Amino acid sequence: MPHHTNAGDSDQPSFSPLSRRSVLGLLGAVPLAAAAVSAARPAHAAARATAAGSAPNTALAAKIEQIMARPEFQGAQWGAEFFAPDSKESIYELNAEKLFVAGSSSKVFVGGTAMLALGADRRLATRVYRTGPVRGGVLKGDLVLVAGGNLLLSGRLRRDGSLRLPEADHTYSTTPGAVPIGGDPLQELRGLAAQIARSGVKRVEGRVLVDTSLFREGSEKLANNITATISPIMVNDNVVDVTVEPGPGSGRPAVLRISPNTDYVQIVNQVRTIAAADAASARPLTFTGDERRADGTRTVTLTGDIPAGSQGLFRAYFVPEPAVFAAFLFTEVLHRAGVRVLEKKAGTGERKLIAQYAGPALPQQLKPMLKVSSNLHTETFPLPDGGHRRR
């Protein structure tokens, strides 16, 4: 079943895609509060807060000190400098002359910049367009899924509006205790497919295309020796979750559970079950031999050992081509919704909106970066920010 993306098609929007580096440079020009934290004893005495005209701002200083005095921060050393959003004036500083390793506290800069540039009520909508007429339940054209930078097409969002944020997050798959997000990783795509089915479309005499022109895709190295493709389309964080459980006995193959359950990637299971006594010499779980088929689907081998009687292990397979992954998944959920896609090239026509998902507001979008410190989201998030500002 071939799947396609439309990154080079002639019906792309007229704006130019931004490079990752140019957007990060653009964001660097936005004034924002910055802070850094490292473990040490408290050092609050060097704080200074000013208001307009350099008069002391004791109310601001008191609020900041109240946060730093929380019991969970006992033993921490703080360094911070805050600037007024409409000027370069420093309005609060603490140990500003000292050097800190910012680490993941720099993610506050990314999140704050996004809030300042886009606004707290901004929603990064995902839309689907048709490129031809619908007659008798048949779409004579393509379905185009346009990525709007929503990073929560993942099953993270619960019905009550809260997010699933497991610790450690699945994007840190080599970290002990990492688990899949939970929920249905395709729930948002299913909602879009249901809208299309309700519109009366039963057959698509065309293709499923994914428009990733919001910004240019590219490969980035993350922490823990992980390389990921950064893309404006992100389904399940562009990860296939693989949970590995021991087989029925020593020497037997392990049992793999895959989420989302898709034919996009075939994982060849070469993980063996070993005796519990041999756990110290177990081979780590490793993906090898990743191969691309002509239709864009993948075959990859998972090797390693798992001790008998263990609670199981987890690894995340980061998909190399997120747009192909999304197109394949969307075609699968369309079929389950009763919409058959024939995968034949159709004539290009004017795009007409047929389905959309607004997604949660910006503060929710930022939580995987700020709450579970997702480096994948950190690398990605400045790019929807810059793309939407450019558009």
Side-chain angles (χ1 to χ4, degrees), residues 230-246:
I230 308 302
S231 172
I233 189 68
M234 184 182 283
V235 182
N236 199 45
D237 293 324
N238 292 331
V239 158
V240 176
D241 297 315
V242 184
T243 303
V244 183
E245 298 176 344

Side-chain angles (χ1 to χ4, degrees), residues 56-370:
N57 188 334
T58 55
L60 173 62
K63 289 180 180 179
I64 296 172
E65 295 284 337
Q66 186 179 20
I67 294 172
M68 292 189 291
R70 291 176 183 171
E72 61 264 34
F73 298 137
Q74 185 177 4
Q77 184 182 34
W78 293 74
E81 189 165 13
F82 291 82
F83 295 85
D86 55 352
S87 73
K88 295 182 179 180
E89 181 186 5
S90 175
I91 59 173
Y92 177 88
E93 66 179 51
L94 169 64
N95 293 327
E97 75 286 355
K98 294 185 178 180
L99 299 179
F100 290 81
V101 177
S104 285
S105 65
S106 59
K107 292 169 182 173
V108 175
F109 170 78
V110 178
T113 301
M115 294 284 282
L116 184 64
L118 299 178
D121 58 348
R122 174 61 70 90
R123 297 176 185 269
L124 307 177
T126 305
R127 297 181 174 92
V128 183
Y129 296 85
R130 57 178 175 86
T131 65
V134 178
R135 298 189 181 97
V138 178
L139 169 58
K140 301 283 187 177
D142 300 321
L143 288 174
V144 183
L145 177 69
V146 179
N150 185 348
L151 308 189
L152 296 180
L153 303 176
S154 61
R156 286 191 189 270
L157 189 64
R158 298 187 179 97
R159 290 185 177 181
D160 63 3
S162 64
L163 296 183
R164 295 180 176 91
L165 298 168
E167 186 72 49
D169 192 68
H170 73 157
T171 57
Y172 286 95
S173 72
T174 58
T175 300
V179 293
I181 294 172
D184 178 7
L186 304 180
Q187 66 182 9
E188 291 84 10
L189 291 186
R190 295 188 204 281
L192 291 169
Q195 290 181 52
I196 293 168
R198 287 196 298 270
S199 75
V201 176
K202 298 185 180 300
R203 188 168 77 246
V204 177
E205 294 188 349
R207 302 161 294 172
V208 169
L209 307 176
V210 177
D211 182 336
T212 58
S213 57
L214 181 65
F215 61 81
R216 189 177 301 122
E217 290 184 337
S219 179
E220 294 284 354
K221 289 186 177 180
L222 309 179
N224 298 350
N225 297 317
I226 293 172
T227 299
T229 301
I230 308 302
S231 172
I233 189 68
M234 184 182 283
V235 182
N236 199 45
D237 293 324
N238 292 331
V239 158
V240 176
D241 297 315
V242 184
T243 303
V244 183
E245 298 176 344
S250 181
R252 301 291 295 276
V255 177
L256 305 186
R257 290 188 287 111
I258 313 298
S259 179
N261 187 10
T262 173
D263 291 332
Y264 166 78
V265 60
Q266 177 187 359
I267 297 179
V268 180
N269 182 10
Q270 291 188 3
V271 182
R272 66 173 182 170
T273 307
I274 62 174
D278 297 329
S281 60
R283 297 174 299 157
L285 298 183
T286 307
F287 289 108
T288 64
D290 194 342
E291 296 182 0
R292 188 186 194 276
R293 302 188 188 99
D295 65 355
T297 58
R298 320 287 302 196
T299 299
V300 64
T301 300
L302 182 62
T303 64
D305 299 324
I306 184 168
S310 67
Q311 294 183 348
L313 299 172
F314 172 75
R315 284 296 182 271
Y317 171 71
F318 286 79
V319 301
E321 297 177 295
V324 178
F325 179 55
F328 201 97
L329 293 174
F330 194 39
T331 302
E332 289 181 331
V333 299
L334 283 165
H335 284 186
R336 296 187 188 107
V339 180
R340 183 186 176 196
V341 181
L342 299 187
E343 291 293 348
K344 56 188 290 188
K345 192 167 184 178
T348 301
E350 183 182 358
R351 292 184 179 184
K352 300 288 187 181
L353 184 66
I354 192 171
Q356 62 181 326
Y357 170 62
L362 191 60
Q364 292 288 74
Q365 293 279 348
L366 295 171
K367 284 183 179 179
M369 176 176 67
L370 299 177

